[in-house]
């Protein structure tokens, strides 16, 4: 089936995308060793980006969601708690790579 497109109805597509997103969140929550700056440097997005996109999607549906609430959805806990428990100070090399690779958004 490589390269072929399967016909999926909109509701099923949305369910599959939601399941994939939940699995991504579970993966990122389990991988607390992976720092946001590393994600940014390698992939151009991080957990904070995901929380911003989630907040933007809510706004597109007319729902008000605070930055803190959207971060808690992504991190699985309050952001300040996650940061205190898992975030380390970025190295000079990480910061330099970020300046070269940081996205325009």
């Amino acid at each position: 089936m490589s390269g072929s497109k399967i016909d999926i109805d909109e509701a099923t597509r949305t369910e599959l995308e939601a399941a994939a997103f939940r699995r991504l969140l579970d993966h990122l929550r389990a991988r607390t060793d992976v720092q946001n700056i590393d994600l940014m440097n390698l992939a151009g997005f991080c957990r904070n980006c995901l929380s911003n996109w989630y907040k933007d999607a809510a706004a597109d549906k007319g729902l008000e969601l605070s930055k803190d609430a959207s971060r808690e959805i992504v991190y699985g806990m309050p952001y300040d708690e996650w940061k205190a428990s898992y975030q380390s100070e970025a190295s000079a090399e990480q910061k330099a790579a970020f300046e070269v690779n940081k996205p325009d958004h």
Side-chain angles (χ1 to χ4, degrees), residues 11-12 22 25 29 42 46-47 51 53 63 65-66 76 80 92:
T12 301
R22 286 189 296 271
L25 290 183
R29 289 173 186 165
L42 292 172
C46 69
R47 293 169 183 91
S51 68
W53 299 339
L63 303 171
L65 187 65
S66 71
D80 289 340

Side-chain angles (χ1 to χ4, degrees), residues 2-21:
S2 179
S4 64
K5 184 178 176 181
I6 57 174
D7 189 27
I8 299 175
D9 65 86
E10 188 69 22
T12 301
R13 184 177 69 83
T14 299
E15 289 175 19
L16 295 174
E17 290 170 350
F21 180 73

